[in-house]
Amino acid sequence: MSYDINKIVVSGRVGHEEKNEEKQTVKFTLANTYETKNKDGKYDKKTSWFNCIAFGAYAMKVIHKGYRLAVTGKIVIEEYKDNDGNNQKYTKIIADDLVVLDDKKTDGESADDKPKKKAGEARVVSQNYEDDDRIPF
């Protein structure tokens, strides 16, 4: 049996964030800015916005507006009917992996204060390689 692959990796800055303490979920937007060359040979900045959702206490602590993140996950397209009865589609990324790409600390906490990942939570890794348990030495 073969399976298809549904995987996306995108980095950018967190725009809007909506946290649900009870469900331990964070819905957020991620702005990915890039440059394209125009007809005059100059570069124009463009921004794509991605709707994302992440789960777990760790994600709740590290996702903040303005933070630069790398998100790995899968794309899900949901269909719904709007108020006028028209079919609409909504695309979002369900995060499997989050990497904090900037040096900002959340609420002044140190790396030792950060909660440990539990099963089912998005894995969040800092750029501080001393804390990275994926390195075998």
Side-chain angles (χ1 to χ4, degrees):
M1 181 185 316
S2 68
Y3 293 97
D4 295 326
I5 297 172
N6 179 354
K7 188 155 202 104
I8 184 169
V9 178
V10 64
S11 68
R13 294 219 177 258
V14 175
H16 173 77
E17 62 177 274
E18 182 181 321
K19 296 181 180 182
N20 184 324
E21 298 283 338
E22 185 177 317
K23 294 182 180 179
Q24 295 287 293
T25 61
V26 183
K27 291 181 180 179
F28 61 101
T29 56
L30 196 69
N32 173 267
T33 303
Y34 57 96
E35 292 183 336
T36 59
K37 199 172 192 178
N38 64 24
K39 293 178 183 178
D40 300 331
K42 296 182 181 179
Y43 288 92
D44 296 327
K45 281 190 177 182
K46 305 229 179 202
T47 301
S48 295
W49 287 90
F50 295 90
N51 298 306
C52 305
I53 186 166
F55 304 93
Y58 201 87
M60 298 276 295
K61 284 194 106 38
V62 300
I63 297 174
H64 296 283
K65 183 175 181 170
Y67 274 36
R68 193 161 169 262
L69 300 177
V71 177
T72 303
K74 63 182 172 186
I75 296 176
V76 175
I77 300 171
E78 297 178 347
E79 294 184 19
Y80 66 95
K81 290 195 184 275
D82 63 14
N83 294 337
D84 298 327
N86 299 318
N87 291 329
Q88 300 290 331
K89 291 185 179 184
Y90 177 80
T91 304
K92 66 181 174 183
I93 298 171
I94 299 177
D96 295 326
D97 226 1
L98 301 172
V99 178
V100 179
L101 299 176
D102 61 12
D103 294 332
K104 294 180 183 177
K105 298 283 188 210
T106 306
D107 299 325
E109 70 184 1
S110 69
D112 295 334
D113 296 334
K114 292 183 180 177
K116 304 299 181 216
K117 178 185 173 265
K118 295 178 184 168
E121 292 182 341
R123 181 179 63 192
V124 182
V125 182
S126 71
Q127 289 296 87
N128 182 351
Y129 293 110
E130 294 173 7
D131 295 337
D132 193 347
D133 59 355
R134 295 181 296 171
I135 297 176
F137 49 88

